[in-house]
Amino acid sequence: MTKQSWAVLAVLCAVALTLGPAVALAQDAKVKVQVEVVLASNKGTAVEPAELNKMKEAFQKQNFSFTSFKRMSLDTVEVAAPKPTEVKLPNGTNASLQLLGMKDGIATLRVIIPNQSSVEVELGRQGAVYQKAGKHVGGDLILVLVPPSK
């Protein structure tokens, strides 16, 4: 080997040693996410539980005209990279949440819902993220993703 080849090899080894721990950290990264599944519909005016009134108000401000909101499930899940975390939906399908990265306390997640485009969302300081998750008994399922309270 020439001196130049050794220099290139040394640089490549240094890069591999530098990236090695970073890659391991990225693969070990995980975040807890509160996942609420809400059925929003125009059947009646019930809001169950009452905490969903905030969601109803937020939707009205955005001109989404649902009149009824019902919590179907509420769980806290751990989402890690690279393997997706499955969330069962009441319509018989599963949503998948995958951690893409963490930066400055903000998690970037890929949300995959069957028969819909996958979407990337940032979960951090702004509060809840709402994501449509399909149809169910005359309404729409909405995933509400929130970092759990400390």
Side-chain angles (χ1 to χ4, degrees):
M1 280 184 114
T2 66
K3 267 187 172 179
Q4 201 171 22
S5 297
W6 280 108
V8 168
L9 183 60
V11 168
L12 288 175
C13 287
V15 167
L17 287 172
T18 303
L19 289 178
V23 170
L25 282 175
Q27 289 175 344
D28 293 341
K30 52 188 150 191
V31 64
K32 289 192 182 227
V33 179
Q34 180 179 297
V35 180
E36 183 174 22
V37 179
V38 175
L39 176 63
S41 74
N42 289 315
K43 291 183 176 181
T45 58
V47 178
E48 300 171 15
E51 297 118 51
L52 293 179
N53 274 315
K54 288 182 190 174
M55 183 179 179
K56 183 178 182 178
E57 291 167 10
F59 275 47
Q60 285 173 339
K61 287 179 185 173
Q62 298 294 320
N63 291 323
F64 293 116
S65 60
F66 296 113
T67 58
S68 174
F69 291 80
K70 181 178 181 185
R71 177 184 291 156
M72 305 299 286
S73 66
L74 177 64
D75 293 303
T76 298
V77 298
E78 193 168 80
V79 181
K83 188 178 177 194
T85 299
E86 299 287 319
V87 176
K88 291 189 184 296
L89 300 174
N91 63 1
T93 63
N94 288 338
S96 297
L97 306 176
Q98 182 180 11
L99 180 62
L100 299 178
M102 289 285 294
K103 184 176 180 182
D104 299 326
I106 297 174
T108 302
L109 302 177
R110 175 173 293 132
V111 181
I112 303 165
I113 311 241
N115 302 318
Q116 295 187 40
S117 300
S118 68
V119 65
E120 291 180 13
V121 299
E122 288 187 345
L123 194 58
R125 301 180 195 104
Q126 82 281 7
V129 172
Y130 301 114
Q131 179 61 45
K132 185 176 177 189
K135 298 283 186 189
H136 184 62
V137 295
D140 288 314
L141 293 173
I142 310 291
L143 278 182
V144 183
L145 306 174
V146 181
S149 53
K150 303 285 184 211

